[in-house]
Amino acid sequence: MHDARDAEDRRLLEAGEYATLLESYYGVIVQRCQARTQSDGDAFDVAAEVVVRLLGELKSGKRYRVPFRVVVHKVVGWKLAEHFARRPLEVELGDEAADDGALERFEERHDLMMLLEGLPQREREVAGLRVLNGLEPEAIAAELGISRNNVDQAWHRAKQKLGERLEAP
Amino acid sequence: MTPGPLVGRLFDEFVEAHVSGRQPDVRAFLLRADTAADELGVLIDRYLEVAPVQPADEETKVALHARLEHVTPLVAARRRLPLKVDEIVERLREALGLRGSLRPRLRAAYQELETGQLDPAGVNERVWEALHAILGLDPCRLVRYEPPVAAPAFFRAAEFEAGRAGAVASAHREAEPDEVDRLFRARLP
């Protein structure tokens, strides 16, 4: 059922056509996020996190041993788990992730840490606590001793810069 | 656990629409499920995880790029042509047959729509049809990819002159509704 799709995905991966590859999955990513979060705002945020994550990995040269569609759905599942658990990914996923070594590899924290490198200190701190530790903005504000508004601004700037970085050739 | 009859029926309908190549709106299905939305959402999610992925249409592609560029899908669709706000407003005015004096009001209304500040449910079918013809994309589907409340970044990215447009709109709302109101704000109190 998925053979043709997997073959096309492999072709796009080999050709480096990452945007085209992700375009083809964006619809289902959004739909799954809508189905589970029941909130459009949250759904689009989670979907964006999935896309940014996948794009970052692809552009950094990451290759997978499993079909790309499996990777996409795993990342959607993880991001949704993060969304609901509000805590670090590895705590939430448990046995499911531990059973899948090939997929577990691209969930390594250093990938995210690499992405955060080079951000200004405040933005790196906020993004790190948000992405790596799964803290909510209020908790980050308390942790860093700054206002919620400052957290939101730093998080927004960090996301923009990460997006630009991932878009850069 | 066996799904209730409503959830089962809606799920079957969703799957049927999906396998037939249509783009079922998850939000609409969840709304119809009412208090059983969570249950239906889990079923849809599990189905989508294993279902064949439908080829992406242009609206989906535009929506993705909009998200990456921190603009609304309607802004991304306009820029893709590329058209400036004034240009699309002028085309819209011509398509809707509005007189020139209504141009500033039309511009304000269009920018509210483009930046997600206007309830799409209050927008007349003629506006959607005109936008469809101008953009070459289904604007209703683009709006479907938009959170109900636009992020502040959208305003900056769209160079939305909120103050000016807001002043035009609010000053007018004190007067009698005109053609622009009837076309864009059918749901205004």
Side-chain angles (χ1 to χ4, degrees), chain A residues 23 31-32 38 40 44-45, chain B residues 24 27 37 45 65 67 145:
Chain A
E23 280 172 355
Q31 283 184 315
R32 284 195 62 195
Q38 313 270 321
D40 287 336
F44 287 105
D45 284 346
Chain B
R27 291 191 285 190
D45 182 41
H65 288 281
R67 193 73 204 192
Y145 273 107

Side-chain angles (χ1 to χ4, degrees), chain A residues 4 7 24 27-28 60 69 73 76 84 133 135 139 149 154 156 165:
Chain A
S24 65
V28 73
S60 70
R69 64 182 159 76
H73 285 303
V76 171
F84 287 115
N133 295 349
L135 292 187
N149 190 41
H156 176 72
R165 187 175 297 177

Side-chain angles (χ1 to χ4, degrees), chain A residues 56-130:
Chain A
E57 290 185 350
L58 292 171
K59 287 197 169 184
S60 70
K62 198 119 190 172
R63 289 297 175 266
Y64 311 105
R65 296 183 183 182
V66 293
F68 187 68
R69 64 182 159 76
V70 176
V71 175
V72 171
H73 285 303
K74 277 290 179 188
V75 173
V76 171
W78 285 332
K79 289 297 176 186
L80 284 168
E82 279 184 354
H83 170 75
F84 287 115
R86 307 288 190 198
R87 53 186 174 160
L89 190 62
E90 54 269 37
V91 175
E92 175 61 25
L93 287 176
D95 295 339
E96 184 191 356
D99 288 344
D100 195 336
L103 291 170
E104 195 176 34
R105 274 191 286 279
F106 67 80
E107 191 54 47
E108 290 168 357
R109 290 168 71 91
H110 77 262
D111 285 355
L112 285 169
M113 292 165 73
M114 276 172 54
L115 274 176
L116 301 180
E117 269 181 24
L119 290 178
Q121 184 180 350
R122 177 66 77 209
E123 291 165 27
R124 191 171 66 249
E125 288 173 341
V126 169
L129 290 170
R130 185 81 182 90

